[in-house]
Amino acid sequence: MTNPTPILEVKDLQTQFHTQDGTVHAINGVSFVLNKGEFLGVVGESGSGKSVTMMSLLRLIPIPPGEIVSGQAMFEGRDLITMELDDLRSVRGGRIGFIFQDPLTSLNPVLTIGYQIMESLRIHTDLQEKAREERAVELLKLVGIPGATKRLDSYPHELSGGMRQRVMIAMSLACRPRVLIADEPTTALDVTIQAQIIELIRDLREKTNTAVIWITHDLGVIAGLADRVLVMYGGLIVEEAPVAELYAHPQHPYTEGLLGSIPRLDQKGSKLVNIKGQPPNLYEKPTSCPFAPRCPYVFDRCRVENPPLISISESHSTACWWDMDNKRPRNGS
Amino acid sequence: MVPEVAGNGGAPVDAAREVLVSVKDLKKHFPIMQGVFRRQVGSVKAVDGVTFDIYRGETLGLVGESGSGKSTTGRVILQLDKATSGTVSFEGQDLSTLSSGEMRRLRPQMQMVFQDPHASLNPRMTVSSIISEPLREHDEAGGDDRDEKVDELLGLVGLAPRHANRYPHEFSGGQRQRIGIARAIALNPDFIVCDEPIAALDVSIQAQVVNLLENLQDLLRLTYLFISHDLSMIRHIADRVAVMYLGRIMELAECNRLYTHPQHPYTRALLSAVPVPDPTIEAVRRRVILEGDIPSPANPPPGCPFNTRCPMAQERCVEEVPEWRQIESGHWVACHFAEETPDTPVITASSGPILTESE
């Protein structure tokens, strides 16, 4: 991409949940930039903070128990975190679309899909009823639902999982968003249906040039989709790189371990490399590297100081004190 | 027990393999009841005639999408559900002819590891009582011996003896799955059905559990039926692979052969749909995008179950159910046109078509 223009800039976002068992430090200072028309993949395991980050941006987390402790999210010159709720409502579903993981629980079972698609048009646009209906049919056609006009009167339970996810995508695109956030949109789907949805998203990006943030735990899914990838662990971004660079040349031990622990469809490997131990519990704010207890390269500094994201080239950063290329602690550490 | 001579279909196996489990034309139909009098108005054909053998010491991978009948097949093999028709033989014995007492005596030899480690462990029992329950039930060891055995089992699955008195909620998903595995191996079984044992786990934990299952297989000479929807993991763990679709097996072959020379159009489409974690391959790969969804097993299409989505389907596929036939030694396919599917690689970059379109 030549001369990228940022559309969304997140700085030092921190979110906590105050529960009966104590405070969960779900995200601990996340900063990233999404450029215009870019496809950004966000990878991490459950509890890594990938969904909470995106939900926090739009203040979709329940408050309380959740609390956005600090941070800034600049979108079109305004900060989403401090914006009036009424203004934020016009952004949600309008300028920023959201696709959730499970289309069955995120569609209202007692309303037709036509009503649900037109709802956001009613709120966010001045279109008249006739025009709204036309737009809804157009959207259903866009996402490849056969017999679109008739489908407006269908209820969610009359559609298969793949079709429901297409409806969700149609809804999120209704107001021509500048940014589309997709939270594990294919995880609940079978692989042949997943392939349909991926093809659809690829196609839509060519047509609409929407910037996409795609959250997933599956390194396979985003390999062919993303321009750039963020890897999250323990509520932090631990590595950030262009997609080809990240897979060929991972610079964080967690990324390396993750790539080694997944079996490959295209080759029969010997043993899977496993990352020993368990993901961190987040009841305490990290003061050391959250991956240190599981890391094969751990040394003294990792246990006392949490590494910030360190730039190792123009587009590649890693939060690690160990220099994987030269097999020694990083300069100055 | 019929020893079968393995052909040279690429399978690096001993000359004679002993059949441990033999499944013949197995069907499981669940009735659909309706109305005040609960009349049967139809049936869900969850498993609709599958035939295969499982050899001693191997891992047979059973893959399919949701609703393909793979879990039901596993349950019927273990007689947890009664078959509608067809037979399951274990070491040459037809299980459906056994009395419940005889079946109970055979149970220790065949066990199951379940998908959801949260639902399959009793939250009110300690780990020790969960693992020793099969020992108590089958009078294997008493008192002190039992505690010793529990410690030994915990050690085998990578947990510590101090874990014995804790409750399942104190453990993470991966550790719970280890407890489920310890319970499954407690009675020294020959055969274990692993029903999606890693589907509920995080990626980095999946590798731990799979490595454990592989180590235990070597150590205890176990035979696995490994049920999964994850084609990459199946390639890693299985010796042979069966692909199910809508209650039937579409293709069965030695693992490497199935992934490098799939002959059934469904297998080819399925493999082409799985993403590979490598941007350079993904950038040039070809895909077959199947249209529509898997049909309902309550109302499967006539003829070949795949004919509604198959790009190669012809009239014959609607009229006639394809025969389950061996196209090469050890390579079974249920497709009229298996010989006519292209032989281009489906996973790595390819210049040729993955499937040809029928006119």
Side-chain angles (χ1 to χ4, degrees), chain A residues 244-278:
Chain A
E245 166 87 4
L246 185 92
Y247 285 74
H249 198 209
Q251 289 298 301
H252 194 283
Y254 175 64
T255 316
E256 186 190 58
L258 211 53
L259 284 166
S261 69
I262 42 176
R264 293 279 297 249
L265 185 72
D266 54 336
Q267 57 204 1
K268 186 154 185 135
S270 39
K271 264 266 179 286
L272 297 176
V273 181
N274 68 38
I275 305 177
K276 61 179 186 184
Q278 307 289 330

PDB file of all heavy atoms in Angstrom, chain A residues 244-278:
ATOM      1  N   ALA A 244       3.133 -11.553   5.425  1.00  0.00           N
ATOM      2  CA  ALA A 244       4.136 -12.494   4.931  1.00  0.00           C
ATOM      3  C   ALA A 244       5.337 -12.533   5.879  1.00  0.00           C
ATOM      4  O   ALA A 244       5.874 -13.601   6.197  1.00  0.00           O
ATOM      5  CB  ALA A 244       4.582 -12.099   3.530  1.00  0.00           C
ATOM      6  N   GLU A 245       5.731 -11.356   6.336  1.00  0.00           N
ATOM      7  CA  GLU A 245       6.859 -11.215   7.260  1.00  0.00           C
ATOM      8  C   GLU A 245       6.598 -11.965   8.570  1.00  0.00           C
ATOM      9  O   GLU A 245       7.458 -12.675   9.083  1.00  0.00           O
ATOM     10  CB  GLU A 245       7.064  -9.709   7.520  1.00  0.00           C
ATOM     11  CG  GLU A 245       7.956  -9.350   8.680  1.00  0.00           C
ATOM     12  CD  GLU A 245       9.429  -9.297   8.293  1.00  0.00           C
ATOM     13  OE1 GLU A 245       9.728  -9.460   7.104  1.00  0.00           O
ATOM     14  OE2 GLU A 245      10.245  -9.093   9.211  1.00  0.00           O
ATOM     15  N   LEU A 246       5.370 -11.830   9.090  1.00  0.00           N
ATOM     16  CA  LEU A 246       5.062 -12.450  10.373  1.00  0.00           C
ATOM     17  C   LEU A 246       5.172 -13.977  10.304  1.00  0.00           C
ATOM     18  O   LEU A 246       5.724 -14.605  11.199  1.00  0.00           O
ATOM     19  CB  LEU A 246       3.648 -12.071  10.836  1.00  0.00           C
ATOM     20  CG  LEU A 246       3.319 -12.596  12.224  1.00  0.00           C
ATOM     21  CD1 LEU A 246       3.673 -11.557  13.277  1.00  0.00           C
ATOM     22  CD2 LEU A 246       1.866 -13.000  12.359  1.00  0.00           C
ATOM     23  N   TYR A 247       4.636 -14.559   9.241  1.00  0.00           N
ATOM     24  CA  TYR A 247       4.635 -16.020   9.141  1.00  0.00           C
ATOM     25  C   TYR A 247       6.030 -16.561   8.814  1.00  0.00           C
ATOM     26  O   TYR A 247       6.410 -17.624   9.283  1.00  0.00           O
ATOM     27  CB  TYR A 247       3.631 -16.487   8.081  1.00  0.00           C
ATOM     28  CG  TYR A 247       2.191 -16.383   8.522  1.00  0.00           C
ATOM     29  CD1 TYR A 247       1.554 -15.151   8.602  1.00  0.00           C
ATOM     30  CD2 TYR A 247       1.461 -17.512   8.865  1.00  0.00           C
ATOM     31  CE1 TYR A 247       0.238 -15.041   9.001  1.00  0.00           C
ATOM     32  CE2 TYR A 247       0.131 -17.412   9.262  1.00  0.00           C
ATOM     33  CZ  TYR A 247      -0.474 -16.176   9.334  1.00  0.00           C
ATOM     34  OH  TYR A 247      -1.775 -16.074   9.739  1.00  0.00           O
ATOM     35  N   ALA A 248       6.776 -15.810   7.987  1.00  0.00           N
ATOM     36  CA  ALA A 248       8.079 -16.315   7.566  1.00  0.00           C
ATOM     37  C   ALA A 248       9.146 -16.036   8.613  1.00  0.00           C
ATOM     38  O   ALA A 248      10.141 -16.742   8.708  1.00  0.00           O
ATOM     39  CB  ALA A 248       8.469 -15.663   6.236  1.00  0.00           C
ATOM     40  N   HIS A 249       8.929 -15.022   9.433  1.00  0.00           N
ATOM     41  CA  HIS A 249      10.018 -14.488  10.232  1.00  0.00           C
ATOM     42  C   HIS A 249       9.481 -13.975  11.563  1.00  0.00           C
ATOM     43  O   HIS A 249       9.630 -12.800  11.884  1.00  0.00           O
ATOM     44  CB  HIS A 249      10.623 -13.331   9.390  1.00  0.00           C
ATOM     45  CG  HIS A 249      11.986 -12.933   9.834  1.00  0.00           C
ATOM     46  ND1 HIS A 249      12.458 -11.656   9.670  1.00  0.00           N
ATOM     47  CD2 HIS A 249      12.961 -13.632  10.420  1.00  0.00           C
ATOM     48  CE1 HIS A 249      13.676 -11.587  10.162  1.00  0.00           C
ATOM     49  NE2 HIS A 249      14.010 -12.770  10.621  1.00  0.00           N
ATOM     50  N   PRO A 250       8.799 -14.846  12.342  1.00  0.00           N
ATOM     51  CA  PRO A 250       8.211 -14.370  13.601  1.00  0.00           C
ATOM     52  C   PRO A 250       9.314 -13.919  14.553  1.00  0.00           C
ATOM     53  O   PRO A 250      10.361 -14.559  14.633  1.00  0.00           O
ATOM     54  CB  PRO A 250       7.472 -15.601  14.139  1.00  0.00           C
ATOM     55  CG  PRO A 250       8.130 -16.773  13.489  1.00  0.00           C
ATOM     56  CD  PRO A 250       8.596 -16.289  12.146  1.00  0.00           C
ATOM     57  N   GLN A 251       9.074 -12.819  15.246  1.00  0.00           N
ATOM     58  CA  GLN A 251      10.101 -12.269  16.118  1.00  0.00           C
ATOM     59  C   GLN A 251       9.695 -12.271  17.582  1.00  0.00           C
ATOM     60  O   GLN A 251      10.377 -11.697  18.410  1.00  0.00           O
ATOM     61  CB  GLN A 251      10.442 -10.834  15.678  1.00  0.00           C
ATOM     62  CG  GLN A 251      11.194 -10.781  14.365  1.00  0.00           C
ATOM     63  CD  GLN A 251      12.537 -11.483  14.461  1.00  0.00           C
ATOM     64  OE1 GLN A 251      13.375 -11.114  15.269  1.00  0.00           O
ATOM     65  NE2 GLN A 251      12.740 -12.511  13.657  1.00  0.00           N
ATOM     66  N   HIS A 252       8.563 -12.883  17.907  1.00  0.00           N
ATOM     67  CA  HIS A 252       8.200 -13.052  19.303  1.00  0.00           C
ATOM     68  C   HIS A 252       8.079 -14.553  19.591  1.00  0.00           C
ATOM     69  O   HIS A 252       7.502 -15.278  18.782  1.00  0.00           O
ATOM     70  CB  HIS A 252       6.881 -12.344  19.612  1.00  0.00           C
ATOM     71  CG  HIS A 252       6.626 -12.200  21.091  1.00  0.00           C
ATOM     72  ND1 HIS A 252       6.186 -13.246  21.868  1.00  0.00           N
ATOM     73  CD2 HIS A 252       6.798 -11.152  21.932  1.00  0.00           C
ATOM     74  CE1 HIS A 252       6.072 -12.835  23.130  1.00  0.00           C
ATOM     75  NE2 HIS A 252       6.449 -11.564  23.197  1.00  0.00           N
ATOM     76  N   PRO A 253       8.617 -15.009  20.715  1.00  0.00           N
ATOM     77  CA  PRO A 253       8.581 -16.451  21.002  1.00  0.00           C
ATOM     78  C   PRO A 253       7.154 -17.025  21.012  1.00  0.00           C
ATOM     79  O   PRO A 253       6.959 -18.187  20.650  1.00  0.00           O
ATOM     80  CB  PRO A 253       9.198 -16.546  22.400  1.00  0.00           C
ATOM     81  CG  PRO A 253       9.988 -15.305  22.571  1.00  0.00           C
ATOM     82  CD  PRO A 253       9.349 -14.253  21.734  1.00  0.00           C
ATOM     83  N   TYR A 254       6.179 -16.202  21.391  1.00  0.00           N
ATOM     84  CA  TYR A 254       4.807 -16.701  21.410  1.00  0.00           C
ATOM     85  C   TYR A 254       4.310 -16.955  19.987  1.00  0.00           C
ATOM     86  O   TYR A 254       3.727 -17.995  19.699  1.00  0.00           O
ATOM     87  CB  TYR A 254       3.887 -15.697  22.122  1.00  0.00           C
ATOM     88  CG  TYR A 254       2.428 -16.096  22.071  1.00  0.00           C
ATOM     89  CD1 TYR A 254       1.981 -17.262  22.698  1.00  0.00           C
ATOM     90  CD2 TYR A 254       1.500 -15.336  21.366  1.00  0.00           C
ATOM     91  CE1 TYR A 254       0.656 -17.645  22.637  1.00  0.00           C
ATOM     92  CE2 TYR A 254       0.166 -15.718  21.311  1.00  0.00           C
ATOM     93  CZ  TYR A 254      -0.245 -16.869  21.945  1.00  0.00           C
ATOM     94  OH  TYR A 254      -1.555 -17.256  21.874  1.00  0.00           O
ATOM     95  N   THR A 255       4.565 -16.007  19.084  1.00  0.00           N
ATOM     96  CA  THR A 255       4.174 -16.192  17.687  1.00  0.00           C
ATOM     97  C   THR A 255       4.846 -17.430  17.111  1.00  0.00           C
ATOM     98  O   THR A 255       4.224 -18.250  16.438  1.00  0.00           O
ATOM     99  CB  THR A 255       4.574 -14.961  16.845  1.00  0.00           C
ATOM    100  OG1 THR A 255       4.226 -13.785  17.555  1.00  0.00           O
ATOM    101  CG2 THR A 255       3.882 -14.976  15.502  1.00  0.00           C
ATOM    102  N   GLU A 256       6.148 -17.557  17.400  1.00  0.00           N
ATOM    103  CA  GLU A 256       6.889 -18.706  16.911  1.00  0.00           C
ATOM    104  C   GLU A 256       6.277 -20.011  17.430  1.00  0.00           C
ATOM    105  O   GLU A 256       6.073 -20.961  16.684  1.00  0.00           O
ATOM    106  CB  GLU A 256       8.357 -18.594  17.349  1.00  0.00           C
ATOM    107  CG  GLU A 256       9.245 -19.658  16.786  1.00  0.00           C
ATOM    108  CD  GLU A 256      10.635 -19.647  17.433  1.00  0.00           C
ATOM    109  OE1 GLU A 256      10.723 -19.796  18.683  1.00  0.00           O
ATOM    110  OE2 GLU A 256      11.610 -19.484  16.709  1.00  0.00           O
ATOM    111  N   GLY A 257       5.961 -20.018  18.736  1.00  0.00           N
ATOM    112  CA  GLY A 257       5.368 -21.210  19.337  1.00  0.00           C
ATOM    113  C   GLY A 257       4.002 -21.530  18.747  1.00  0.00           C
ATOM    114  O   GLY A 257       3.674 -22.687  18.468  1.00  0.00           O
ATOM    115  N   LEU A 258       3.226 -20.488  18.531  1.00  0.00           N
ATOM    116  CA  LEU A 258       1.882 -20.662  17.975  1.00  0.00           C
ATOM    117  C   LEU A 258       1.963 -21.273  16.581  1.00  0.00           C
ATOM    118  O   LEU A 258       1.244 -22.206  16.245  1.00  0.00           O
ATOM    119  CB  LEU A 258       1.208 -19.289  17.915  1.00  0.00           C
ATOM    120  CG  LEU A 258      -0.298 -19.201  18.070  1.00  0.00           C
ATOM    121  CD1 LEU A 258      -0.760 -19.902  19.331  1.00  0.00           C
ATOM    122  CD2 LEU A 258      -0.725 -17.741  18.098  1.00  0.00           C
ATOM    123  N   LEU A 259       2.874 -20.763  15.766  1.00  0.00           N
ATOM    124  CA  LEU A 259       3.018 -21.289  14.406  1.00  0.00           C
ATOM    125  C   LEU A 259       3.504 -22.743  14.430  1.00  0.00           C
ATOM    126  O   LEU A 259       3.131 -23.533  13.573  1.00  0.00           O
ATOM    127  CB  LEU A 259       3.988 -20.417  13.587  1.00  0.00           C
ATOM    128  CG  LEU A 259       3.404 -19.084  13.108  1.00  0.00           C
ATOM    129  CD1 LEU A 259       4.509 -18.154  12.613  1.00  0.00           C
ATOM    130  CD2 LEU A 259       2.385 -19.311  11.989  1.00  0.00           C
ATOM    131  N   GLY A 260       4.319 -23.069  15.442  1.00  0.00           N
ATOM    132  CA  GLY A 260       4.831 -24.440  15.532  1.00  0.00           C
ATOM    133  C   GLY A 260       3.813 -25.413  16.094  1.00  0.00           C
ATOM    134  O   GLY A 260       3.915 -26.621  15.888  1.00  0.00           O
ATOM    135  N   SER A 261       2.819 -24.889  16.808  1.00  0.00           N
ATOM    136  CA  SER A 261       1.889 -25.793  17.478  1.00  0.00           C
ATOM    137  C   SER A 261       0.690 -26.150  16.603  1.00  0.00           C
ATOM    138  O   SER A 261      -0.106 -26.989  16.975  1.00  0.00           O
ATOM    139  CB  SER A 261       1.411 -25.180  18.802  1.00  0.00           C
ATOM    140  OG  SER A 261       0.582 -24.071  18.546  1.00  0.00           O
ATOM    141  N   ILE A 262       0.564 -25.521  15.444  1.00  0.00           N
ATOM    142  CA  ILE A 262      -0.565 -25.903  14.590  1.00  0.00           C
ATOM    143  C   ILE A 262      -0.109 -26.872  13.510  1.00  0.00           C
ATOM    144  O   ILE A 262       0.898 -26.659  12.846  1.00  0.00           O
ATOM    145  CB  ILE A 262      -1.256 -24.682  13.928  1.00  0.00           C
ATOM    146  CG1 ILE A 262      -0.231 -23.682  13.422  1.00  0.00           C
ATOM    147  CG2 ILE A 262      -2.222 -24.022  14.878  1.00  0.00           C
ATOM    148  CD1 ILE A 262      -0.848 -22.528  12.685  1.00  0.00           C
ATOM    149  N   PRO A 263      -0.871 -27.958  13.364  1.00  0.00           N
ATOM    150  CA  PRO A 263      -0.515 -28.910  12.309  1.00  0.00           C
ATOM    151  C   PRO A 263      -0.794 -28.304  10.946  1.00  0.00           C
ATOM    152  O   PRO A 263      -1.613 -27.403  10.818  1.00  0.00           O
ATOM    153  CB  PRO A 263      -1.454 -30.077  12.589  1.00  0.00           C
ATOM    154  CG  PRO A 263      -2.611 -29.491  13.303  1.00  0.00           C
ATOM    155  CD  PRO A 263      -2.095 -28.329  14.071  1.00  0.00           C
ATOM    156  N   ARG A 264      -0.105 -28.791   9.921  1.00  0.00           N
ATOM    157  CA  ARG A 264      -0.259 -28.221   8.589  1.00  0.00           C
ATOM    158  C   ARG A 264      -1.009 -29.186   7.697  1.00  0.00           C
ATOM    159  O   ARG A 264      -0.719 -30.373   7.652  1.00  0.00           O
ATOM    160  CB  ARG A 264       1.137 -27.956   7.998  1.00  0.00           C
ATOM    161  CG  ARG A 264       1.901 -26.869   8.732  1.00  0.00           C
ATOM    162  CD  ARG A 264       1.473 -25.496   8.288  1.00  0.00           C
ATOM    163  NE  ARG A 264       1.781 -25.296   6.892  1.00  0.00           N
ATOM    164  CZ  ARG A 264       2.705 -24.451   6.442  1.00  0.00           C
ATOM    165  NH1 ARG A 264       3.429 -23.750   7.269  1.00  0.00           N
ATOM    166  NH2 ARG A 264       2.905 -24.306   5.139  1.00  0.00           N
ATOM    167  N   LEU A 265      -1.945 -28.638   6.938  1.00  0.00           N
ATOM    168  CA  LEU A 265      -2.698 -29.436   5.984  1.00  0.00           C
ATOM    169  C   LEU A 265      -1.799 -29.914   4.857  1.00  0.00           C
ATOM    170  O   LEU A 265      -2.012 -30.964   4.273  1.00  0.00           O
ATOM    171  CB  LEU A 265      -3.841 -28.592   5.413  1.00  0.00           C
ATOM    172  CG  LEU A 265      -4.822 -29.293   4.485  1.00  0.00           C
ATOM    173  CD1 LEU A 265      -5.702 -30.241   5.282  1.00  0.00           C
ATOM    174  CD2 LEU A 265      -5.679 -28.294   3.743  1.00  0.00           C
ATOM    175  N   ASP A 266      -0.782 -29.120   4.552  1.00  0.00           N
ATOM    176  CA  ASP A 266       0.020 -29.412   3.369  1.00  0.00           C
ATOM    177  C   ASP A 266       1.247 -30.272   3.651  1.00  0.00           C
ATOM    178  O   ASP A 266       2.020 -30.566   2.770  1.00  0.00           O
ATOM    179  CB  ASP A 266       0.443 -28.101   2.685  1.00  0.00           C
ATOM    180  CG  ASP A 266       1.146 -27.154   3.643  1.00  0.00           C
ATOM    181  OD1 ASP A 266       0.923 -27.267   4.861  1.00  0.00           O
ATOM    182  OD2 ASP A 266       1.914 -26.301   3.187  1.00  0.00           O
ATOM    183  N   GLN A 267       1.456 -30.659   4.900  1.00  0.00           N
ATOM    184  CA  GLN A 267       2.578 -31.554   5.173  1.00  0.00           C
ATOM    185  C   GLN A 267       2.340 -32.333   6.452  1.00  0.00           C
ATOM    186  O   GLN A 267       1.643 -31.870   7.343  1.00  0.00           O
ATOM    187  CB  GLN A 267       3.888 -30.760   5.270  1.00  0.00           C
ATOM    188  CG  GLN A 267       3.850 -29.679   6.330  1.00  0.00           C
ATOM    189  CD  GLN A 267       4.847 -28.559   6.038  1.00  0.00           C
ATOM    190  OE1 GLN A 267       5.525 -28.499   5.161  1.00  0.00           O
ATOM    191  NE2 GLN A 267       4.948 -27.631   6.798  1.00  0.00           N
ATOM    192  N   LYS A 268       2.915 -33.542   6.482  1.00  0.00           N
ATOM    193  CA  LYS A 268       2.773 -34.332   7.693  1.00  0.00           C
ATOM    194  C   LYS A 268       4.038 -34.135   8.498  1.00  0.00           C
ATOM    195  O   LYS A 268       5.083 -34.666   8.174  1.00  0.00           O
ATOM    196  CB  LYS A 268       2.564 -35.804   7.354  1.00  0.00           C
ATOM    197  CG  LYS A 268       2.278 -36.652   8.569  1.00  0.00           C
ATOM    198  CD  LYS A 268       1.477 -37.888   8.210  1.00  0.00           C
ATOM    199  CE  LYS A 268       1.115 -38.652   9.468  1.00  0.00           C
ATOM    200  NZ  LYS A 268      -0.270 -39.090   9.471  1.00  0.00           N
ATOM    201  N   GLY A 269       3.967 -33.317   9.533  1.00  0.00           N
ATOM    202  CA  GLY A 269       5.141 -33.047  10.339  1.00  0.00           C
ATOM    203  C   GLY A 269       5.371 -34.170  11.336  1.00  0.00           C
ATOM    204  O   GLY A 269       4.575 -35.091  11.427  1.00  0.00           O
ATOM    205  N   SER A 270       6.453 -34.084  12.100  1.00  0.00           N
ATOM    206  CA  SER A 270       6.663 -35.102  13.111  1.00  0.00           C
ATOM    207  C   SER A 270       5.886 -34.730  14.364  1.00  0.00           C
ATOM    208  O   SER A 270       4.688 -34.881  14.419  1.00  0.00           O
ATOM    209  CB  SER A 270       8.163 -35.268  13.390  1.00  0.00           C
ATOM    210  OG  SER A 270       8.799 -33.999  13.379  1.00  0.00           O
ATOM    211  N   LYS A 271       6.548 -34.202  15.361  1.00  0.00           N
ATOM    212  CA  LYS A 271       5.857 -33.819  16.594  1.00  0.00           C
ATOM    213  C   LYS A 271       5.418 -32.360  16.521  1.00  0.00           C
ATOM    214  O   LYS A 271       6.102 -31.541  15.921  1.00  0.00           O
ATOM    215  CB  LYS A 271       6.815 -33.966  17.776  1.00  0.00           C
ATOM    216  CG  LYS A 271       6.701 -35.272  18.534  1.00  0.00           C
ATOM    217  CD  LYS A 271       5.778 -35.154  19.721  1.00  0.00           C
ATOM    218  CE  LYS A 271       5.592 -36.430  20.514  1.00  0.00           C
ATOM    219  NZ  LYS A 271       4.769 -37.447  19.899  1.00  0.00           N
ATOM    220  N   LEU A 272       4.292 -32.057  17.139  1.00  0.00           N
ATOM    221  CA  LEU A 272       3.908 -30.661  17.247  1.00  0.00           C
ATOM    222  C   LEU A 272       4.727 -30.033  18.366  1.00  0.00           C
ATOM    223  O   LEU A 272       4.937 -30.648  19.403  1.00  0.00           O
ATOM    224  CB  LEU A 272       2.427 -30.537  17.584  1.00  0.00           C
ATOM    225  CG  LEU A 272       1.437 -31.081  16.571  1.00  0.00           C
ATOM    226  CD1 LEU A 272       0.024 -30.956  17.099  1.00  0.00           C
ATOM    227  CD2 LEU A 272       1.566 -30.347  15.250  1.00  0.00           C
ATOM    228  N   VAL A 273       5.190 -28.815  18.135  1.00  0.00           N
ATOM    229  CA  VAL A 273       5.892 -28.101  19.193  1.00  0.00           C
ATOM    230  C   VAL A 273       4.817 -27.626  20.152  1.00  0.00           C
ATOM    231  O   VAL A 273       3.842 -27.027  19.709  1.00  0.00           O
ATOM    232  CB  VAL A 273       6.574 -26.851  18.615  1.00  0.00           C
ATOM    233  CG1 VAL A 273       7.339 -26.115  19.697  1.00  0.00           C
ATOM    234  CG2 VAL A 273       7.473 -27.225  17.456  1.00  0.00           C
ATOM    235  N   ASN A 274       4.936 -27.931  21.428  1.00  0.00           N
ATOM    236  CA  ASN A 274       3.900 -27.337  22.247  1.00  0.00           C
ATOM    237  C   ASN A 274       4.429 -26.260  23.161  1.00  0.00           C
ATOM    238  O   ASN A 274       5.566 -26.286  23.597  1.00  0.00           O
ATOM    239  CB  ASN A 274       3.012 -28.365  22.951  1.00  0.00           C
ATOM    240  CG  ASN A 274       3.714 -29.143  24.018  1.00  0.00           C
ATOM    241  OD1 ASN A 274       4.523 -28.575  24.723  1.00  0.00           O
ATOM    242  ND2 ASN A 274       3.417 -30.421  24.138  1.00  0.00           N
ATOM    243  N   ILE A 275       3.589 -25.260  23.364  1.00  0.00           N
ATOM    244  CA  ILE A 275       3.940 -24.199  24.296  1.00  0.00           C
ATOM    245  C   ILE A 275       3.576 -24.743  25.654  1.00  0.00           C
ATOM    246  O   ILE A 275       2.409 -25.036  25.915  1.00  0.00           O
ATOM    247  CB  ILE A 275       3.144 -22.917  23.995  1.00  0.00           C
ATOM    248  CG1 ILE A 275       3.342 -22.502  22.532  1.00  0.00           C
ATOM    249  CG2 ILE A 275       3.568 -21.806  24.935  1.00  0.00           C
ATOM    250  CD1 ILE A 275       2.530 -21.286  22.132  1.00  0.00           C
ATOM    251  N   LYS A 276       4.554 -24.927  26.515  1.00  0.00           N
ATOM    252  CA  LYS A 276       4.252 -25.518  27.818  1.00  0.00           C
ATOM    253  C   LYS A 276       3.434 -24.545  28.673  1.00  0.00           C
ATOM    254  O   LYS A 276       3.437 -23.337  28.426  1.00  0.00           O
ATOM    255  CB  LYS A 276       5.569 -25.896  28.527  1.00  0.00           C
ATOM    256  CG  LYS A 276       6.439 -24.680  28.749  1.00  0.00           C
ATOM    257  CD  LYS A 276       7.732 -24.977  29.470  1.00  0.00           C
ATOM    258  CE  LYS A 276       8.403 -23.636  29.726  1.00  0.00           C
ATOM    259  NZ  LYS A 276       9.679 -23.635  30.310  1.00  0.00           N
ATOM    260  N   GLY A 277       2.761 -25.114  29.672  1.00  0.00           N
ATOM    261  CA  GLY A 277       2.059 -24.257  30.634  1.00  0.00           C
ATOM    262  C   GLY A 277       0.745 -23.704  30.133  1.00  0.00           C
ATOM    263  O   GLY A 277       0.211 -24.132  29.112  1.00  0.00           O
ATOM    264  N   GLN A 278       0.227 -22.753  30.898  1.00  0.00           N
ATOM    265  CA  GLN A 278      -1.109 -22.217  30.670  1.00  0.00           C
ATOM    266  C   GLN A 278      -1.031 -20.724  30.365  1.00  0.00           C
ATOM    267  O   GLN A 278      -0.102 -20.051  30.794  1.00  0.00           O
ATOM    268  CB  GLN A 278      -1.952 -22.385  31.946  1.00  0.00           C
ATOM    269  CG  GLN A 278      -1.997 -23.781  32.501  1.00  0.00           C
ATOM    270  CD  GLN A 278      -2.812 -24.701  31.620  1.00  0.00           C
ATOM    271  OE1 GLN A 278      -3.739 -24.258  30.956  1.00  0.00           O
ATOM    272  NE2 GLN A 278      -2.458 -25.974  31.592  1.00  0.00           N
TER     273      GLN A 278
END
